[in-house]
Structure formats: structure tokens, C-alpha cells
């Protein structure tokens, strides 16, 4: 890791399942996996998160809580990753989903993101560092 780079984490459920790895393996095809990797490779080096490629402009709000959204298009589908900041230059991916015409799949993706954020905060869940390949 070099100065100024980001560290990314995957949400790990209370049962020990890496939910982001599971999403990548089950829901993304080869092109989707490649584009997800490429997105992370680009943003890991971006100093200011407001300049991240794929960052949707308005975070979701739930009371005082906020969750941001990254988007990319692959396999003919618009994908989203909902996440949160968890330290200086650190971000955790809470849930991966599909988004089309204002509808998220799974339908409760935003609610799940806020629920997972709470589980991380109270120690019920953990996170695992995502290795971003920089070639």
C-alpha cells in the first residue's frame, strides 16, 4: 500500500460469510467481476472519494446515518455497491446489488446496508480486507 491509497473491506456477516465475496461469486459473471476489479483499481488511488469513478452523487440517508453508492455497468446490467467509510482512507462494502429503473435487487438492499452498518458498529459483524490488484 502506498501513501494516499485507500483500504477496502468486505462486510462479513455474524455467521462468518463474506457477503461481498459471495455476491461477486454468485451474481457477477466474468465481465462483472472484471469491471468490479477495474473500478476498485481506479478508485484505490483516488485521493478524494468525491472523485471516485462510479460514485453516485447523493448518499442514502437514514436518520443521521449515510451510505454511499458506487455503480458500474457490466454483463448488460447496472450494478451497485453500497458502502460506508470506516476510518481515514478506509471504506467497507456493505452490499452488492443490481439496480434498474429505480428498483434494487434485492429489493431491501438499502435497508440491508443500514442494518449491516449497525452490525459492524455494535460488533455483531466484522469485515475482511479486500485485496485490490494493482498491475
Amino acid at each position: 500500500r502506498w501513501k494516499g491509497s485507500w483500504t477496502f473491506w468486505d462486510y462479513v456477516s455474524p455467521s462468518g460469510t463474506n457477503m461481498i465475496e459471495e455476491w461477486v461469486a454468485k451474481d457477477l459473471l466474468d465481465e462483472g467481476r472484471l469491471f468490479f476489479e477495474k473500478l476498485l483499481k481506479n478508485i484505490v488511488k483516488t485521493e478524494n472519494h468525491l472523485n471516485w469513478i462510479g460514485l453516485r452523487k447523493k448518499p442514502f440517508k437514514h436518520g443521521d446515518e449515510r451510505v454511499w453508492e458506487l455503480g458500474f455497468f457490466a454483463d448488460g446490467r447496472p450494478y451497485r455497491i453500497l458502502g460506508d467509510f470506516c476510518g481515514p482512507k478506509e471504506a467497507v462494502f456493505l452490499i452488492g446489488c443490481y439496480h434498474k429503473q429505480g428498483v434494487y435487487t434485492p429489493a431491501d438492499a438499502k435497508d440491508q446496508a443500514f442494518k449491516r452498518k449497525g452490525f459492524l458498529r455494535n460488533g455483531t459483524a466484522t469485515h475482511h480486507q479486500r485485496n485490490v490488484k494493482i498491475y
Side-chain angles (χ1 to χ4, degrees):
R1 195 177 127 139
W2 62 94
K3 187 177 188 263
S5 69
W6 285 82
T7 300
F8 296 118
W9 303 90
D10 290 349
Y11 174 84
V12 177
S13 73
S15 67
T17 303
N18 182 325
M19 301 304 288
I20 303 306
E21 240 350 278
E22 186 173 272
W23 173 70
V24 168
K26 287 185 175 178
D27 292 1
L28 300 182
L29 301 174
D30 288 344
E31 183 184 65
R33 290 184 197 106
L34 186 68
F35 276 61
F36 181 47
E37 234 176 73
K38 189 175 178 181
L39 173 71
L40 298 184
K41 185 176 137 184
N42 282 315
I43 68 174
V44 75
K45 302 175 272 189
T46 303
E47 189 67 33
N48 186 336
H49 73 276
L50 295 174
N51 296 325
W52 282 356
I53 293 170
L55 182 68
R56 314 313 279 181
K57 293 301 173 205
K58 290 190 92 163
F60 298 115
K61 296 178 187 175
H62 186 274
D64 291 338
E65 299 289 332
R66 284 179 171 58
V67 167
W68 45 258
E69 178 181 29
L70 277 177
F72 67 98
F73 191 85
D75 305 317
R77 304 179 89 183
Y79 290 103
R80 300 289 188 264
I81 302 121
L82 307 184
D84 187 28
F85 299 108
C86 56
K89 302 288 257 187
E90 294 190 44
V92 59
F93 301 126
L94 299 167
I95 190 169
C97 54
Y98 164 68
H99 178 265
K100 188 170 185 174
Q101 297 174 334
V103 178
Y104 288 83
T105 305
D108 67 343
K110 289 190 269 185
D111 291 338
Q112 281 294 321
F114 284 106
K115 191 179 287 185
R116 290 175 179 187
K117 184 173 170 169
F119 287 159
L120 284 170
R121 187 175 33 262
N122 71 22
T124 306
T126 60
H127 50 52
H128 182 265
Q129 189 170 349
R130 173 158 284 277
N131 181 29
V132 178
K133 297 179 188 110
I134 301 167
Y135 5 126

